[in-house]
Amino acid sequence: MTIDEIQKDIIEEFALFDDWMERYNLLIDIGKGLDPLDEKHKGNDYLIEGCQSKVWLYPELADNKLYFKAESDAIITKGIVALLIRVVSGRTPEEIINTDLYFIDEIGLKQNLSPTRANGLLAMVKQMKLYAIAFNAKLKSAEDGN
Amino acid sequence: MLDIEKIRSQFPILAMEVYGKPLVYFDNGATTHKPVQVINAVSDAYTNFNSNIHRGVHYLSDISSEKYEGAREAIRQFVNAGKREEIIFTAGTTASINMVAFSFGEKYIGEGDEIIISTIEHHANIVPWQVLCERKKAKLLVIPVFDDGSLDIEAYGKLISDRTRIVAVSHVSNALGTINPVKEIIGIAHSNDIPVLVDGAQGIQHGDVDVNEMNCDFYVFSGHKVYGPTGTGVLYGKEKWLEEMPPYQTGGDMVDKVTFEKTTYSKLPFKFEAGTTNFVGAVGMAAAFNYITGLGIDNIIQREKELLDYSTRRLEEIEGLKIYGTAKDKIPVISFVLEDIHQYDVGMILDKLGIAVRTGSHCAQPIMDRFGIDGTIRASLCFYNTTGEVDALIEGLLKVREMMG
């Protein structure tokens, strides 16, 4: 599936609910389903600053693709980061850099994107893109080296 | 007895719905809403007499200056300060504390001197003193708190030394709602000739503040937390200190004579009011004080005590809910956590139910560290809240519990 197709899927899943409580229930379920992060990656190195709840985001490059694992101590935040992972994890860094994450707006989480909002959704997206930029540079320099 | 229905109708915002639910506003510790009396006073100022104060020779400037000084007098009376010179208009509590920390610090704090604050303080009553200590190589000492959130007064007494230059404590804790025994704290300091600043940001709107009786040296508060406009505040200071302290900011309106060689400063209170002040805000703040005087501060205290008792009792019914700050003397602020549920999740869900609470450390990280937690859910009530709204919070929390499984 392309990034676009996954985003459309998520939008459809959330479109089934017009009630906020149901949407949160869905986010909670998604959050609970997120693979746990290895304890050794739950240190300050992977902690995203600027969130009221703690979020750890761990990147890994395999076969030129960037994979993310994450965890949060707040379950709704965990649901949000799980959605982000579903969309961007396992893509090339370049794809991640160029992705427009429009699904956030479409499923009504846009208000959570404001820089002052405490859940740090913006900080999570930014961190994912920063990792993508860093790994992209690494891949590029490896290619140049060849 | 307060007519709550009538009072609520005077606060237009309270009638609104959020996400299709009636607004339950329990974030009064952050800021309170404004009654029409305040909104109208601000609107009236811009409509009918807006003009810069103390400057013009013209009609509007005279009226504006008169209203501004009238506001000062209204606030002087409300806090029972001895003189109008002792009431300085500022931008808020933070500005007031910074002003004292800078000016008092400039004059009286030197290397090796000591400043005492408490564990329970808001960052606004920590950081300015910390910065002052760095600047002057002075030392910051901290009064510990007991598990119920009350200050350890005995320990406080032991912190005092011949190097103590000032004590700065909150009247009421913003994070826990504890009312501190400020008179006792002041008494102990004064018996050692040490002045005391009381941070009244959470005190002025919930109790009968009489700076004369309290005998504090400085009392500071914000207008927006006491039903007045945002960007307003007051520094009450005893004249003897304010006279001796150098100005904080300099510029227009605070000067007597300016030449390029030397400037002499205006007399109090203008010495500390550089530039164009928020004169419209001051008028709005005075309207807020008139409003609560009209309701009767004793009525407010009684009403809020009932709300505190009711909400504490109802919250305690919820299994796994722990309240932080259980001291005997409290304002209607209840800080709590739900076992195994992150406060942020609670806040997010309550929000969508129309219930506004604050979550996190409440700008008071040291007290959170003291309890070994990274935050709480804070419901801060005031007289216009109702027991029905408390019931809505309880239902909301049960819903959170159910959703989180």
Side-chain angles (χ1 to χ4, degrees):
Chain A
M1 274 173 107
T2 64
I3 286 187
D4 213 40
E5 283 165 347
I6 297 177
Q7 293 205 77
K8 289 206 166 101
D9 270 6
I10 293 173
I11 293 164
E12 269 177 37
E13 287 162 27
F14 276 81
L16 294 173
F17 308 108
D18 49 6
D19 178 71
W20 264 107
M21 290 304 123
E22 289 173 338
R23 281 186 201 168
Y24 275 169
N25 268 329
L26 182 57
L27 271 177
I28 290 165
D29 282 347
I30 293 168
K32 282 180 180 163
L34 184 66
D35 289 337
L37 186 63
D38 206 322
E39 280 303 315
K40 68 180 179 209
H41 296 137
K42 284 169 73 173
N44 282 342
D45 287 353
Y46 300 107
L47 186 66
I48 298 179
E49 297 287 329
C51 305
Q52 207 183 85
S53 49
K54 289 196 176 85
V55 184
W56 297 269
L57 183 69
Y58 177 71
E60 220 169 10
L61 197 66
D63 300 331
N64 293 348
K65 284 177 182 154
L66 187 51
Y67 293 85
F68 288 107
K69 283 182 177 165
E71 179 129 18
S72 172
D73 54 357
I75 191 82
I76 293 174
T77 312
K78 215 163 143 179
I80 292 170
V81 78
L83 285 177
L84 288 172
I85 287 178
R86 189 168 143 198
V87 174
V88 305
S89 189
R91 309 284 164 179
T92 64
E94 198 152 351
E95 268 182 291
I96 296 171
I97 294 166
N98 295 321
T99 293
D100 170 22
L101 295 168
Y102 58 86
F103 83 94
I104 295 167
D105 192 355
E106 295 271 329
I107 65 174
L109 289 177
K110 196 189 175 187
Q111 51 157 324
N112 294 313
L113 255 187
S114 103
T116 54
R117 248 331 248 238
N119 80 351
L121 177 51
L122 189 66
M124 289 183 230
V125 172
K126 198 174 152 193
Q127 194 57 46
M128 285 179 157
K129 296 234 173 193
L130 283 175
Y131 278 130
I133 289 166
F135 280 105
N136 199 37
K138 205 168 150 187
L139 288 175
K140 282 257 165 4
S141 72
E143 275 173 26
D144 292 347
N146 292 337
Chain B
M1 273 286 278
L2 298 175
D3 181 347
I4 300 305
E5 218 165 294
K6 185 177 158 208
I7 287 171
R8 286 182 70 85
S9 74
Q10 291 167 338
F11 289 80
I13 212 167
L14 294 179
M16 86 182 286
E17 290 195 341
V18 290
Y19 309 110
K21 308 271 193 320
L23 169 71
V24 174
Y25 188 78
F26 284 166
D27 198 17
N28 295 289
T31 199
T32 55
H33 290 308
K34 322 302 171 197
V36 284
Q37 287 83 345
V38 169
I39 298 167
N40 290 347
V42 171
S43 167
D44 176 53
Y46 283 123
T47 310
N48 295 315
F49 59 85
N50 176 55
S51 223
N52 210 330
I53 49 167
H54 306 144
R55 306 268 160 93
V57 290
H58 56 83
Y59 177 79
L60 284 181
S61 178
D62 279 348
I63 296 182
S64 192
S65 305
E66 212 173 280
K67 297 272 190 187
Y68 182 67
E69 291 310 318
R72 196 190 305 277
E73 175 57 20
I75 289 159
R76 184 200 68 74
Q77 283 181 22
F78 189 89
V79 299
N80 196 29
K83 296 176 173 178
R84 57 180 282 281
E85 285 82 359
E86 296 176 323
I87 302 294
I88 313 289
F89 284 118
T90 69
T93 305
T94 300
S96 299
I97 297 174
N98 272 281
M99 192 179 273
V100 177
F102 178 85
S103 297
F104 184 91
E106 201 54 26
K107 175 97 184 173
Y108 298 104
I109 309 281
E111 192 171 338
D113 283 344
E114 292 168 358
I115 296 167
I116 297 177
I117 60 169
S118 89
T119 313
I120 217 169
E121 301 308 313
H122 185 282
H123 295 161
N125 200 28
I126 300 174
V127 186
W129 303 111
Q130 227 163 23
V131 170
L132 169 64
C133 285
E134 278 170 26
R135 191 159 59 89
K136 296 280 188 173
K137 298 192 175 64
K139 220 169 129 189
L140 195 64
L141 303 178
V142 185
I143 308 168
V145 297
F146 293 116
D147 288 343
D148 68 353
S150 62
L151 295 181
D152 183 344
I153 297 299
E154 207 183 308
Y156 158 62
K158 288 179 188 154
L159 289 179
I160 288 184
S161 77
D162 58 357
R163 298 308 301 265
T164 312
R165 293 291 171 264
I166 191 166
V167 175
V169 288
S170 51
H171 188 176
V172 174
S173 150
N174 75 305
L176 308 178
T178 316
I179 301 172
N180 292 322
V182 284
K183 276 180 79 173
E184 198 182 344
I185 292 168
I186 292 164
I188 293 169
H190 282 182
S191 63
N192 292 278
D193 291 326
I194 300 160
V196 178
L197 175 139
V198 178
D199 171 357
Q202 302 290 341
I204 188 91
Q205 64 281 55
H206 298 292
D208 191 4
V209 172
D210 181 330
V211 293
N212 195 36
E213 195 218 342
M214 191 186 284
N215 202 14
C216 53
D217 297 272
F218 303 97
Y219 193 91
V220 299
F221 58 87
S222 299
H224 74 98
K225 291 189 200 285
V226 57
Y227 315 100
T230 189
T232 61
V234 166
L235 159 63
Y236 157 80
K238 279 185 180 166
E239 192 180 24
K240 63 168 180 175
W241 298 116
L242 296 179
E243 278 291 357
E244 286 188 31
M245 282 157 51
Y248 177 49
Q249 289 182 319
T250 53
D253 217 30
M254 54 76 68
V255 289
D256 177 29
K257 173 103 182 101
V258 177
T259 66
F260 285 111
E261 287 71 39
K262 186 169 172 62
T263 294
T264 56
Y265 302 121
S266 296
K267 292 193 183 334
L268 289 173
F270 310 115
K271 182 172 115 181
F272 289 102
E273 293 181 359
T276 296
T277 57
N278 186 353
F279 56 91
V280 170
V283 170
M285 183 163 47
F289 280 112
N290 285 338
Y291 179 77
I292 58 175
T293 303
L295 295 181
I297 199 77
D298 289 341
N299 292 331
I300 291 175
I301 292 170
Q302 192 202 336
R303 165 81 185 166
E304 293 185 343
K305 175 88 176 70
E306 286 162 13
L307 285 171
L308 172 66
D309 290 347
Y310 183 77
S311 45
T312 305
R313 198 173 72 237
R314 294 284 342 251
L315 283 165
E316 279 173 343
E317 287 168 13
I318 295 181
E319 223 184 292
L321 185 144
K322 181 171 162 70
I323 294 176
Y324 285 90
T326 49
K328 190 168 64 61
D329 293 327
K330 276 185 70 177
I331 59 162
V333 161
I334 304 109
S335 222
F336 60 93
V337 296
L338 272 180
E339 199 178 30
D340 298 329
I341 304 178
H342 197 278
Q343 73 268 4
Y344 183 68
D345 287 323
V346 180
M348 291 273 281
I349 292 170
L350 290 179
D351 171 47
K352 292 298 190 292
L353 295 169
I355 302 166
V357 293
R358 180 145 175 205
T359 62
S361 66
H362 319 296
C363 291
Q365 283 166 18
I367 189 69
M368 297 294 134
D369 292 345
R370 161 67 177 77
F371 290 126
I373 50 178
D374 58 5
T376 67
I377 301 140
R378 183 186 73 177
S380 53
L381 283 62
C382 72
F383 60 78
Y384 54 54
N385 289 123
T386 65
T387 52
E389 289 180 312
V390 175
D391 296 340
L393 171 67
I394 302 299
E395 272 174 46
L397 291 170
L398 293 174
K399 175 92 188 159
V400 169
R401 229 312 114 71
E402 179 199 316
M403 284 173 74
M404 292 297 169

Coordinates of all heavy atoms in Angstrom, one line a residue, chain A residues 19-21 24-25 28 32 52-54 73-77 80 111-112 117-120, chain B residues 19 21 341-346 348-353 359-361 374 399 403-405:
Chain A
D19 N -18.9 10.8 16.7 CA -18.8 11.2 18.2 C -17.4 11.1 18.6 O -16.6 10.2 18.3 CB -19.7 10.2 19.0 CG -19.7 10.5 20.4 OD1 -20.3 11.5 20.8 OD2 -19.0 9.7 21.2
W20 N -17.0 12.2 19.4 CA -15.6 12.3 19.8 C -15.2 11.1 20.7 O -14.1 10.6 20.7 CB -15.4 13.6 20.5 CG -14.8 14.6 19.6 CD1 -15.4 15.7 19.1 CD2 -13.5 14.5 19.0 NE1 -14.6 16.3 18.2 CE2 -13.4 15.6 18.2 CE3 -12.4 13.7 19.2 CZ2 -12.2 15.9 17.4 CZ3 -11.2 13.9 18.5 CH2 -11.2 15.0 17.6
M21 N -16.1 10.7 21.6 CA -15.8 9.6 22.5 C -15.5 8.3 21.7 O -14.6 7.6 22.1 CB -17.0 9.3 23.5 CG -17.2 10.5 24.5 SD -15.7 10.8 25.4 CE -15.4 12.5 25.0
Y24 N -12.1 8.7 20.2 CA -11.1 8.4 21.2 C -11.0 6.9 21.6 O -9.9 6.4 21.8 CB -11.3 9.3 22.5 CG -10.8 10.7 22.4 CD1 -11.1 11.6 23.3 CD2 -9.9 11.0 21.4 CE1 -10.6 12.9 23.3 CE2 -9.4 12.3 21.3 CZ -9.7 13.3 22.2 OH -9.2 14.5 22.2
N25 N -12.1 6.3 21.6 CA -12.1 4.8 21.9 C -11.3 4.1 20.8 O -10.5 3.2 21.1 CB -13.5 4.3 21.8 CG -14.1 4.3 23.2 OD1 -13.4 4.1 24.2 ND2 -15.5 4.5 23.3
I28 N -7.7 4.9 21.5 CA -7.2 4.1 22.6 C -6.9 2.6 22.2 O -5.9 2.1 22.6 CB -8.3 4.1 23.7 CG1 -8.3 5.6 24.3 CG2 -8.0 3.1 24.8 CD1 -9.6 5.9 25.2
K32 N -3.4 0.8 22.3 CA -3.1 -0.5 23.0 C -2.5 -1.5 22.1 O -1.8 -2.4 22.6 CB -4.5 -1.0 23.6 CG -4.9 -0.3 24.9 CD -6.2 -0.8 25.4 CE -6.7 -0.1 26.6 NZ -8.1 -0.3 26.9
Q52 N 3.4 16.9 27.0 CA 2.9 16.8 28.4 C 3.0 15.4 28.8 O 3.3 15.1 29.9 CB 1.5 17.3 28.5 CG 1.2 17.9 29.9 CD -0.2 18.3 30.0 OE1 -1.1 17.5 30.3 NE2 -0.4 19.6 29.8
S53 N 2.8 14.5 27.8 CA 3.0 13.1 28.1 C 4.3 12.7 27.5 O 4.8 13.3 26.6 CB 1.8 12.2 27.5 OG 1.6 12.6 26.2
K54 N 4.9 11.6 28.0 CA 6.2 11.3 27.5 C 6.0 10.4 26.2 O 5.2 9.5 26.2 CB 7.0 10.4 28.5 CG 7.4 11.2 29.7 CD 8.5 10.4 30.5 CE 9.1 11.2 31.7 NZ 8.3 11.1 32.9
D73 N 3.5 7.3 27.7 CA 2.8 6.9 28.9 C 1.4 7.3 28.9 O 0.6 7.0 29.8 CB 3.6 7.5 30.1 CG 3.8 9.0 30.0 OD1 3.4 9.6 29.0 OD2 4.3 9.6 31.0
A74 N 0.9 8.1 27.9 CA -0.5 8.4 27.8 C -1.1 7.6 26.6 O -0.5 7.5 25.6 CB -0.7 9.9 27.6
I75 N -2.2 7.0 26.8 CA -2.7 6.1 25.8 C -3.2 6.8 24.6 O -3.1 6.3 23.5 CB -3.8 5.2 26.5 CG1 -4.2 4.0 25.6 CG2 -5.0 5.9 26.9 CD1 -3.2 2.9 25.7
I76 N -3.8 7.9 24.7 CA -4.3 8.7 23.5 C -3.1 9.1 22.6 O -3.1 8.9 21.4 CB -5.2 9.8 23.9 CG1 -6.5 9.3 24.5 CG2 -5.5 10.7 22.6 CD1 -7.5 10.4 25.0
T77 N -2.1 9.6 23.3 CA -0.9 9.9 22.6 C -0.3 8.7 21.9 O 0.2 8.8 20.8 CB 0.1 10.5 23.6 OG1 -0.5 11.5 24.4 CG2 1.3 11.2 22.9
I80 N -2.1 8.1 18.8 CA -1.7 9.1 17.7 C -0.4 8.7 17.1 O -0.2 8.6 15.9 CB -1.7 10.5 18.3 CG1 -3.1 11.0 18.7 CG2 -1.0 11.5 17.3 CD1 -3.1 12.3 19.5
Q111 N -6.4 20.3 15.6 CA -6.2 21.1 16.8 C -5.1 20.7 17.6 O -4.4 21.5 18.3 CB -7.5 21.2 17.6 CG -8.0 19.9 17.9 CD -8.9 19.9 19.2 OE1 -8.7 20.6 20.1 NE2 -9.9 19.1 19.2
N112 N -4.8 19.4 17.6 CA -3.7 18.8 18.3 C -2.3 19.2 17.7 O -1.3 18.8 18.2 CB -3.8 17.3 18.5 CG -5.0 17.0 19.3 OD1 -5.2 17.6 20.4 ND2 -5.8 16.1 18.9
R117 N 0.0 23.0 21.7 CA -0.7 21.9 22.3 C 0.2 20.9 23.0 O 1.3 20.6 22.5 CB -1.4 21.2 21.2 CG -3.0 21.2 21.1 CD -3.7 21.4 22.4 NE -4.4 20.2 22.7 CZ -5.7 20.2 22.9 NH1 -6.4 21.3 22.9 NH2 -6.3 19.1 23.2
A118 N -0.2 20.5 24.1 CA 0.7 19.7 25.0 C 1.0 18.3 24.5 O 2.0 17.8 24.9 CB 0.2 19.7 26.4
N119 N 0.2 17.7 23.6 CA 0.5 16.3 23.3 C 1.7 16.2 22.3 O 2.1 15.1 22.1 CB -0.7 15.6 22.9 CG -1.0 15.8 21.4 OD1 -0.5 16.7 20.8 ND2 -2.0 15.1 20.9
G120 N 2.1 17.3 21.8 CA 3.3 17.3 21.0 C 3.2 16.5 19.7 O 4.1 15.9 19.2
Chain B
Y19 N -18.2 21.5 21.9 CA -18.4 20.2 21.3 C -19.9 19.7 21.6 O -20.1 18.6 21.9 CB -17.5 19.1 21.9 CG -16.0 19.6 21.8 CD1 -15.3 19.9 22.9 CD2 -15.4 19.6 20.6 CE1 -14.0 20.2 22.9 CE2 -14.0 20.0 20.5 CZ -13.3 20.3 21.6 OH -12.0 20.7 21.6
K21 N -21.7 20.3 24.2 CA -22.0 20.1 25.6 C -21.9 21.4 26.3 O -21.1 22.3 26.0 CB -20.9 19.1 26.2 CG -20.7 17.8 25.4 CD -21.7 16.8 25.9 CE -21.4 15.3 25.5 NZ -21.0 15.1 24.1
I341 N -4.0 5.9 35.0 CA -4.4 6.6 33.9 C -3.6 7.9 33.8 O -3.6 8.7 34.8 CB -5.9 6.9 33.9 CG1 -6.7 5.6 34.0 CG2 -6.4 7.7 32.6 CD1 -8.2 5.8 34.1
H342 N -3.0 8.2 32.7 CA -2.2 9.4 32.5 C -3.2 10.7 32.6 O -4.2 10.7 32.0 CB -1.5 9.4 31.2 CG -0.4 10.4 31.2 ND1 -0.6 11.7 30.9 CD2 1.0 10.3 31.4 CE1 0.6 12.4 30.9 NE2 1.5 11.5 31.3
Q343 N -2.7 11.7 33.3 CA -3.5 12.9 33.5 C -3.9 13.5 32.1 O -4.9 14.2 32.0 CB -2.9 13.9 34.4 CG -1.7 14.7 33.9 CD -0.4 14.0 34.2 OE1 -0.4 12.9 34.8 NE2 0.7 14.6 33.8
Y344 N -3.0 13.3 31.2 CA -3.2 14.0 29.9 C -4.4 13.3 29.2 O -5.3 13.9 28.5 CB -2.0 13.9 29.0 CG -2.1 14.5 27.7 CD1 -2.3 15.9 27.6 CD2 -2.2 13.8 26.5 CE1 -2.5 16.5 26.4 CE2 -2.4 14.4 25.3 CZ -2.5 15.8 25.3 OH -2.8 16.4 24.1
D345 N -4.5 12.0 29.3 CA -5.7 11.2 28.7 C -7.0 11.7 29.4 O -8.0 11.9 28.7 CB -5.5 9.7 28.9 CG -4.4 9.1 28.0 OD1 -4.3 9.6 26.9 OD2 -3.7 8.2 28.5
V346 N -6.9 11.9 30.7 CA -8.1 12.4 31.4 C -8.5 13.7 30.9 O -9.7 14.0 30.5 CB -7.8 12.4 32.9 CG1 -9.1 12.9 33.7 CG2 -7.4 11.1 33.4
M348 N -7.8 15.2 28.0 CA -8.3 15.1 26.6 C -9.8 14.7 26.5 O -10.6 15.3 25.8 CB -7.5 14.2 25.8 CG -6.0 14.6 25.6 SD -5.8 15.6 24.1 CE -5.9 14.4 22.8
I349 N -10.1 13.7 27.3 CA -11.5 13.2 27.2 C -12.4 14.1 27.9 O -13.5 14.4 27.4 CB -11.5 11.7 27.9 CG1 -10.7 10.8 26.9 CG2 -13.0 11.3 28.0 CD1 -10.5 9.4 27.5
L350 N -12.1 14.7 29.1 CA -12.9 15.6 29.7 C -13.2 16.8 28.8 O -14.3 17.3 28.8 CB -12.3 16.1 31.0 CG -12.2 15.1 32.2 CD1 -11.6 15.8 33.4 CD2 -13.6 14.6 32.6
D351 N -12.2 17.2 28.1 CA -12.3 18.4 27.2 C -13.5 18.1 26.2 O -14.3 19.0 26.0 CB -11.0 18.6 26.4 CG -11.2 19.6 25.3 OD1 -11.8 20.7 25.5 OD2 -10.7 19.3 24.2
K352 N -13.5 16.9 25.6 CA -14.5 16.6 24.6 C -15.9 16.5 25.3 O -16.9 16.4 24.6 CB -14.1 15.4 23.9 CG -12.9 15.6 23.0 CD -13.2 16.6 21.9 CE -12.1 16.7 20.8 NZ -10.8 17.2 21.3
L353 N -15.9 16.4 26.6 CA -17.2 16.3 27.3 C -17.6 17.8 27.8 O -18.6 17.9 28.5 CB -17.1 15.4 28.5 CG -16.9 13.9 28.2 CD1 -16.6 13.1 29.5 CD2 -18.1 13.3 27.5
T359 N -4.2 20.1 33.1 CA -3.4 18.9 33.5 C -1.9 19.2 33.3 O -1.6 20.2 32.6 CB -3.7 17.7 32.5 OG1 -3.3 18.1 31.2 CG2 -5.1 17.3 32.5
G360 N -1.1 18.5 34.1 CA 0.3 18.8 34.0 C 0.9 19.2 35.3 O 0.4 18.8 36.4
S361 N 2.0 20.0 35.3 CA 2.6 20.3 36.5 C 2.2 21.7 37.0 O 2.7 22.1 38.1 CB 4.2 20.3 36.3 OG 4.5 21.4 35.4
D374 N 4.5 13.4 37.9 CA 4.9 14.4 36.9 C 3.7 15.3 36.5 O 3.9 16.1 35.7 CB 5.5 13.7 35.6 CG 4.6 12.7 35.0 OD1 3.4 12.6 35.5 OD2 5.0 12.0 34.0
K399 N -16.6 8.0 33.1 CA -16.5 7.7 31.6 C -15.1 7.4 31.2 O -14.8 6.5 30.4 CB -17.1 8.9 30.8 CG -17.0 8.8 29.4 CD -18.3 8.2 28.8 CE -18.1 7.9 27.3 NZ -19.0 6.9 26.8
M403 N -13.6 4.1 29.6 CA -13.0 4.0 28.3 C -11.6 3.5 28.3 O -11.1 2.8 27.4 CB -12.9 5.5 27.7 CG -14.2 5.9 27.1 SD -14.1 7.7 26.6 CE -13.2 7.6 25.1
M404 N -10.9 3.8 29.5 CA -9.5 3.3 29.6 C -9.4 1.8 30.0 O -8.4 1.3 30.0 CB -8.8 4.2 30.6 CG -8.6 5.6 30.2 SD -7.5 5.6 28.7 CE -7.7 7.3 28.2
G405 N -10.6 1.4 30.4 CA -10.7 -0.1 30.8 C -9.7 -0.5 31.9 O -8.8 -1.2 31.7

